[in-house]
Amino acid sequence: MAFFWRRNKEDKFSTSVLGLDRSIEELKAQEEAVEKEIGVRFTRAIEKTRNSINNRLDTIFEGRKQIDDVLLDELEEMLISTDIGVQTTMQVLEAIRKGVSRQEISDIDALRAVMKRELLDILQHSTERGVADERSVDAAIKPYVLMVVGVNGVGKTTTIGKLSQRIKNEGNDVLICAADTFRAAASDQLEIWAGRAGVPIVQQKQGTDPAAVLFDALQSAKARNSDVLIVDTAGRLHNKANLMAELEKMKRIAGREVPQAPHETLLVIDAVTGQNGLEQARQFTKVANVTGIVLTKLDGTAKGGIAVAIAKELNLPIRYVGIGEQVDDLMVFDAESYVNGLFS
Ligand code: GDP
Ligand code: MG
């Protein structure tokens, strides 16, 4: 996991070798230091969930000599309490029962290993649909258009601020489009983030047709030769027909101006809202043609298992996770670090 946003990265490295200021090694070392630091903060962010799992596991196993039905019932309750979802819980229990009957599982460590294996399996399968990696889009296509959708308050604007900073820091020209024209404050807030990240923003007055703002932004991105265009959208789910029409119009315009755009449509989900958030997400995926998930506020919940429920039930890759309110509190989701983090 050496890079955050890796499209064209190999090319950029070869140009940097050809006589520019920093060597590949220096850049790589710098990236690795950043990733390591983020890894530590990620582990801290899922601490509440991990502690809750470990405490429950210890209690369940206390004074027990064998894995029986009572123990499995308690385990089921524990898994449900982390919000990994009913379907996932059933899959995990099924695997444990099999392991027990084959006498492959007799202690807590073997049991942990099976749980980890099953969760990892679900998370890895979820990358088969949607867009799991920005490198899947032809590198010649510019700008790479990234739409961000989700209900109000989940963290769309904050995520866009963090994303644009990271993507810019890796040497890409980023442009932000403020297509949440529903509330005046939305554009102002995005403008602050754009200023912080030092990236340009295209915005218009409140009430403007979001598709018109997007059209402007697409023209501007082409004129500036931007690498990435990140689009903020309004989060009204209470009027589904409207939202659908609005998103569809935006997509149509994007696709007309840039081949295959939008290349990604990220649905932002607030981890704290747990199963409710998942229900909202289901509704969004029906109307918005979502290609991936950003799970925010993972730092604020003991039910961090929701990532697995999302992957399993929506069958979409989790692309990024938010672990705080600061600009560098965003990381690329890594299934292995996540699962290890839950059970370490
Ligand atoms: P939007 O309505 O979807 O655009 O949501 P905002 O970006 O305005 O965020 C709503 C609130 O959530 C703000 O107070 C953010 O600081 C906060 N927030 C966003 N992401 C995270 C995160 O990963 N962790 C924490 N703790 N707070 C977050
Ligand atoms: Mg917003």
Side-chain angles (χ1 to χ4, degrees):
M1 211 177 37
F3 302 110
F4 189 82
W5 213 78
R6 290 162 288 188
R7 199 163 169 254
N8 283 333
K9 211 32 82 179
E10 285 74 13
D11 291 355
K12 289 207 171 101
F13 271 143
S14 50
T15 44
S16 75
V17 180
L18 294 172
L20 290 181
D21 41 0
R22 285 185 297 174
S23 71
I24 285 191
E25 282 69 30
E26 272 177 309
L27 274 173
K28 277 195 174 152
Q30 189 192 335
E31 292 282 354
E32 269 157 27
V34 169
E35 289 304 331
K36 193 170 166 201
E37 213 264 315
I38 289 175
V40 171
R41 284 190 295 126
F42 176 68
T43 310
R44 211 178 299 144
I46 53 171
E47 194 168 20
K48 284 188 198 137
T49 309
R50 176 173 57 252
N51 287 344
S52 144
I53 291 176
N54 283 335
N55 293 344
R56 296 279 293 262
L57 275 181
D58 287 344
T59 316
I60 292 171
F61 275 85
E62 219 167 43
R64 285 254 176 65
K65 286 267 170 323
Q66 61 182 32
I67 299 174
D68 54 18
D69 284 345
V70 179
L71 189 148
L72 289 177
D73 282 349
E74 285 173 18
L75 204 57
E76 178 175 341
E77 232 173 78
M78 182 280 278
L79 288 169
I80 295 276
S81 80
T82 67
D83 254 357
I84 64 170
V86 176
Q87 289 178 32
T88 306
T89 300
M90 292 309 144
Q91 177 176 332
V92 171
L93 282 175
E94 174 68 26
I96 292 172
R97 285 208 178 87
K98 264 191 199 148
V100 171
S101 72
R102 287 185 194 144
Q103 300 183 330
E104 289 160 0
I105 304 175
S106 55
D107 60 13
I108 189 166
D109 288 335
L111 193 112
R112 253 200 205 102
V114 171
M115 291 195 280
K116 280 167 82 167
R117 189 190 68 206
E118 292 301 313
L119 299 190
L120 195 58
D121 184 61
I122 290 170
L123 290 167
Q124 285 169 343
H125 267 99
S126 71
T127 61
E128 286 162 9
R129 265 187 62 209
V131 177
D133 193 311
E134 62 276 0
R135 284 170 300 185
S136 64
V137 175
D138 183 350
I141 293 178
K142 260 169 80 160
Y144 185 95
V145 181
L146 217 156
M147 266 177 65
V148 179
V149 303
V151 295
N152 281 335
V154 291
K156 288 184 298 300
T157 305
T158 309
T159 299
I160 291 170
K162 296 170 178 174
L163 261 178
S164 51
Q165 175 108 323
R166 290 292 296 271
I167 296 175
K168 182 195 165 194
N169 283 354
E170 293 203 340
N172 302 286
D173 282 316
V174 179
L175 178 67
I176 295 179
C177 170
D180 178 357
T181 55
F182 198 62
R183 298 173 306 146
S187 189
D188 297 345
Q189 191 196 352
L190 195 60
E191 192 181 346
I192 293 170
W193 275 107
R196 253 182 230 154
V199 306
I201 177 170
V202 171
Q203 51 194 155
Q204 284 188 31
K205 65 175 193 296
Q206 187 185 0
T208 308
D209 180 358
V213 187
L214 176 60
F215 181 80
D216 265 10
L218 288 158
Q219 299 311 319
S220 175
K222 285 195 272 187
R224 291 164 179 271
N225 201 22
S226 308
D227 295 302
V228 188
L229 174 65
I230 309 180
V231 187
D232 196 11
T233 63
R236 315 170 265 132
L237 195 57
H238 56 264
N239 191 339
K240 248 202 286 177
N242 246 346
L243 180 74
M244 176 155 57
E246 193 170 292
L247 289 174
E248 253 160 27
K249 189 170 170 194
M250 289 172 85
K251 278 174 196 258
R252 205 165 55 237
I253 284 174
R256 205 175 64 201
E257 300 302 315
V258 178
Q260 295 156 38
H263 307 100
E264 278 191 73
T265 301
L266 292 175
L267 172 65
V268 181
I269 302 177
D270 174 346
V272 179
T273 60
Q275 296 295 323
N276 276 340
L278 190 58
E279 184 46 39
Q280 287 169 3
R282 272 191 210 103
Q283 298 193 28
F284 251 101
T285 49
K286 272 186 210 146
V287 302
N289 198 14
V290 176
T291 62
I293 305 293
V294 180
L295 187 61
T296 57
K297 312 187 196 179
L298 205 56
D299 52 306
T301 179
K303 292 170 172 259
I306 192 72
V308 186
I310 289 168
K312 171 104 183 157
E313 287 170 44
L314 303 180
N315 201 15
L316 282 169
I318 296 168
R319 293 279 278 126
Y320 305 102
V321 287
I323 56 172
E325 297 183 274
Q326 303 306 310
V327 67
D328 52 356
D329 289 331
L330 183 77
M331 58 179 293
V332 173
F333 182 73
D334 180 72
E336 235 163 296
S337 324
Y338 169 77
V339 172
N340 285 333
L342 285 187
F343 289 96
S344 63

